[in-house]
Amino acid sequence: MFSNILRHRTSLSVSYRRALSRSVIRLNTPPKDPKAHENGLYYGQFTKEEYENAANVVKQQIDKLENEIKGDFNIRENLGKVPQFPQRDPSGSTKVNNLTDLFIQTIKTTGPISLSAYIRQCLTHPDFGYYTTRNPLDLRSGDFITSPEISSVFGEMVGIWLFTIWQQQNYPPSIRLIEFGPGRGTLMYDVLKSFNLFVKKVGKKADVEINLVEASKVLRREQWKLLCDEANTPFETDANGFDFSTSQWGNTIRWLDTEKDIKKENDVANYIIAHEFFDALPVKGFKKTDNGWRELVVEHSSSVNNTQPKLPSNESVSSEESKDALLNTEFHLTLSPKETPSSIIPTLSSRFNDLPVDSRIEICTEAELYLMKMVQLLDNIKQLGAVLIIDYGVVDAIPESSLRGIYKHNFVSPFIKPGDVDLSVDVDFTNLQQLSARFCSTFGPVDQGDWLHRLGIGHRIDQLIKKNSDYPEEQDKIYQSYRRLTDKDEKSMGKVYKFLALLPSGSKEPAGFSDPL
Ligand code: SAH
């Protein structure tokens, strides 16, 4: 077919050559005063016959060529009739200015998205994510407050615990203190203060490097401001793109994007803390149907019912937004009618086998990946390292539908204002404990109130209250914070927050996990 086309082209150019040679002559000696031919028109130097012949040759060749090329279906003739997907925005704008735009466009293109993809973008999208664009713990404008921010005594207790582990493991001289999701850096600050104090007391040497796994550049700056000397230890970035600085106690601090960036080094004791980190990891949602597990996906359509529970009626929304506005969601959770690639996930664990039809569950696969990395950082042979996971969550139960939005100190639907609302889930502690028990020794989960009391929070509070005997207001604050951290009623944190520890296989029980006999 190709040689055919070439042959026709050759004969086409012969006709052109003849015509061209004449027009060149015409250009060299242009008629001074062109005479009009018939009807007042000037036909140039071609006779009408010559012109029509040439035009005919050209038309025949083009038709021939077109037939050769177009096959059975001529796309050019059918332009506009061919389905195009996605449709262009009729307003002509396809710019993404926020996460709402991004989700609308993504859902238009790919169909509903998985809940975990929605949560991941909401929390850590580089330009519009909740954590990546603000300091949610800001005392004035923040959306929530955490235990380390309520009282420095919380971090002191964690520091003392790490010190007891260091002692139990025979004072390894090289320590890496790793924190996942350090927020403002307050917990690390208080941990270091008390840990360093006790190290000094026993007169041993400890070389401590700090690794902070933090997705947010905004929060990295806050952590640097708190932990480092702003004037003398700048926030720097190395050749591989990793941020680093030096703490005010002289420790090297490295900031890491994910758990994959943590390197395993021999003879280093890795002491790992994760406080309110696991609750910020994306979950997938599933519902059991007569035909097996189906995934809950996020849809953008007002015709779909929002299956997320409504705000409890006693929640007050103090801000300018009315409660109705906060329930009027743009996105909705809906059940995928068919299997999705993730439908297999619930079948991989025997925990979900016996659940009845209509059961709804949340599974956090990312939590399992982070957990496995933490476990790998323990050295079972040399008996080095420890992990302390602190979070709110459930024990001996499966989270069903715990995803919630937190906005200006209120619970709201997770499907409003994507990127402006914090999202959080109940941590599935039983799953974390059972998975890690295959590779190391696990202790807990136990209630926060019990753990803090066993570590001696009562004595420390007593000390502080005595120290502030001239400042009754301060004494009251110290006492109220203590109650908030340890009480077990619904408004306090003593029961709903849990402590889970992982230690090298065969380790003896650490402080905090059972009452002394
Ligand atoms: N531990 C702190 C902050 C809890 S808020 C405290 O208790 O005060 C959650 C923290 O985890 C924030 O620092 C947030 O930026 C970080 N974070 C959330 N998702 C993350 C991810 N996928 N990778 C790394 N850091 C993350």
Side-chain angles (χ1 to χ4, degrees):
M1 186 214 263
F2 223 79
S3 59
N4 245 353
I5 293 174
L6 282 175
R7 215 167 25 157
H8 288 306
R9 273 203 181 157
T10 320
S11 68
L12 186 75
S13 62
V14 172
S15 331
Y16 270 134
R17 233 180 288 139
R18 224 180 283 137
L20 263 174
S21 61
R22 291 190 192 176
S23 64
V24 170
I25 295 164
R26 188 174 62 80
L27 283 172
N28 283 345
T29 53
K32 277 185 191 143
D33 186 15
K35 267 187 270 155
H37 293 135
E38 291 162 39
N39 309 325
L41 297 175
Y42 175 67
Y43 293 117
Q45 299 194 6
F46 294 108
T47 65
K48 195 174 177 190
E49 203 184 12
E50 273 175 327
Y51 175 81
E52 277 170 1
N53 274 345
N56 233 351
V57 172
V58 172
K59 185 174 178 312
Q60 275 171 16
Q61 300 309 322
I62 287 177
D63 286 350
K64 179 95 181 157
L65 270 174
E66 217 161 36
N67 278 331
E68 301 267 7
I69 293 165
K70 73 183 179 187
D72 296 336
F73 184 79
N74 186 339
I75 288 182
R76 275 202 290 138
E77 281 167 14
N78 284 283
L79 266 187
K81 293 181 212 155
V82 180
Q84 283 176 300
F85 196 78
Q87 302 273 327
R88 268 185 72 79
D89 183 339
S91 70
S93 148
T94 46
K95 263 206 190 137
V96 168
N97 296 313
N98 50 45
L99 278 185
T100 301
D101 288 353
L102 179 79
F103 287 135
I104 291 174
Q105 288 188 21
T106 308
I107 291 169
K108 249 190 213 169
T109 314
T110 66
I113 55 175
S114 78
L115 183 59
S116 54
Y118 175 85
I119 300 173
R120 167 55 62 239
Q121 300 287 7
C122 286
L123 294 182
T124 52
H125 184 283
D127 299 322
F128 309 122
Y130 178 76
Y131 285 115
T132 33
T133 54
R134 80 206 65 217
N135 170 10
L137 291 148
D138 185 276
L139 293 181
R140 267 166 301 140
S141 61
D143 288 305
F144 58 89
I145 185 158
T146 58
S147 297
E149 303 292 337
I150 290 173
S151 167
S152 58
V153 176
F154 183 87
E156 286 177 22
M157 296 297 121
V158 176
I160 292 173
W161 187 81
L162 285 176
F163 174 77
T164 63
I165 300 293
W166 187 58
Q167 256 185 335
Q168 203 172 302
Q169 296 185 346
N170 221 1
Y171 306 109
S174 282
I175 297 173
R176 194 160 40 175
L177 210 48
I178 304 170
E179 186 174 359
F180 285 76
R184 288 180 61 232
T186 311
L187 178 59
M188 183 54 85
Y189 179 91
D190 295 326
V191 164
L192 274 174
K193 254 190 359 189
S194 65
F195 185 82
N196 285 342
L197 195 82
F198 281 94
V199 170
K200 237 188 196 166
K201 273 192 183 164
V202 291
K204 300 266 179 193
K205 265 197 71 133
D207 179 11
V208 184
E209 180 186 292
I210 299 166
N211 283 187
L212 301 176
V213 181
E214 175 56 73
S216 163
K217 291 272 179 201
V218 178
L219 286 172
R220 283 183 186 197
R221 284 269 159 187
E222 294 293 321
Q223 293 150 18
W224 169 72
K225 278 197 224 159
L226 191 64
L227 296 169
C228 305
D229 173 357
E230 281 186 62
N232 297 312
T233 53
F235 183 86
E236 296 177 82
T237 305
D238 71 16
N240 296 318
F242 290 111
D243 298 330
F244 68 97
S245 190
T246 306
S247 83
Q248 47 184 290
W249 302 275
N251 319 88
T252 298
I253 304 188
R254 292 184 206 289
W255 279 272
L256 308 172
D257 293 332
T258 74
E259 87 291 354
K260 295 182 200 82
D261 302 323
I262 304 172
K263 292 190 190 73
K264 184 155 186 170
E265 280 175 42
N266 285 336
D267 300 320
V268 172
N270 293 305
Y271 295 143
I272 301 171
I273 340 172
H275 181 256
E276 293 219 31
F277 173 74
F278 279 91
D279 73 280
L281 296 178
V283 290
K284 286 180 179 291
F286 300 95
K287 191 171 177 179
K288 198 169 195 173
T289 71
D290 289 325
N291 301 315
W293 289 100
R294 291 289 178 270
E295 190 178 0
L296 288 154
V297 287
V298 179
E299 170 66 295
H300 174 245
S301 154
S302 49
S303 64
V304 179
N305 283 334
N306 182 1
T307 55
Q308 204 59 26
K310 301 260 174 199
L311 282 177
S313 55
N314 59 354
E315 287 296 341
S316 64
V317 177
S318 51
S319 61
E320 60 284 2
E321 282 119 322
S322 75
K323 202 185 278 187
D324 274 356
L326 293 177
L327 280 172
N328 192 7
T329 70
E330 181 137 25
F331 299 97
H332 309 271
L333 202 56
T334 186
L335 196 65
S336 167
K338 296 206 178 123
E339 281 185 310
T340 53
S342 296
S343 314
I344 197 169
I345 293 174
T347 68
L348 301 176
S349 166
S350 57
R351 289 175 84 206
F352 311 123
N353 283 356
D354 297 333
L355 292 177
V357 166
D358 282 341
S359 299
R360 195 170 147 178
I361 54 170
E362 284 171 348
I363 299 183
C364 187
T365 46
E366 275 197 36
E368 297 181 2
L369 293 176
Y370 278 104
L371 186 79
M372 284 303 109
K373 178 69 187 198
M374 292 176 182
V375 168
Q376 281 165 22
L377 289 166
L378 298 176
D379 190 334
N380 281 333
I381 295 168
K382 292 182 181 147
Q383 292 283 295
L384 295 178
V387 180
L388 188 61
I389 297 171
I390 311 164
D391 229 307
Y392 51 82
V394 290
V395 181
D396 294 331
I398 296 166
E400 277 178 60
S401 159
S402 71
L403 176 67
R404 58 208 159 241
I406 298 158
Y407 182 64
K408 299 185 180 169
H409 298 270
N410 280 290
F411 288 120
V412 296
S413 161
F415 301 108
I416 58 156
K417 299 178 179 290
D420 285 330
V421 165
D422 181 29
L423 300 180
S424 120
V425 292
D426 282 353
V427 171
D428 184 351
F429 270 104
T430 301
N431 188 36
L432 297 186
Q433 186 270 327
Q434 286 179 350
L435 275 179
S436 40
R438 295 193 226 153
F439 308 98
C440 62
S441 293
T442 70
F443 301 93
V446 294
D447 295 351
Q448 169 161 309
D450 297 339
W451 192 92
L452 288 173
H453 279 129
R454 289 172 188 147
L455 260 289
I457 193 172
H459 297 294
R460 180 69 178 129
I461 294 290
D462 190 40
Q463 235 181 20
L464 289 174
I465 288 180
K466 284 192 181 131
K467 210 169 143 189
N468 284 280
S469 54
D470 293 339
Y471 308 99
E473 266 184 30
E474 200 53 37
Q475 284 183 318
D476 195 44
K477 254 196 225 161
I478 294 166
Y479 181 70
Q480 291 310 330
S481 308
Y482 159 72
R483 297 293 303 262
R484 196 163 168 199
L485 291 177
T486 57
D487 275 6
K488 295 203 173 187
D489 59 15
E490 271 190 5
K491 284 192 179 143
S492 308
M493 301 159 108
K495 184 160 185 63
V496 64
Y497 281 77
K498 311 283 179 201
F499 279 57
L500 171 68
L502 316 180
L503 290 174
S505 295
S507 297
K508 72 174 192 132
E509 187 180 76
F513 289 87
S514 65
D515 286 323
L517 292 172

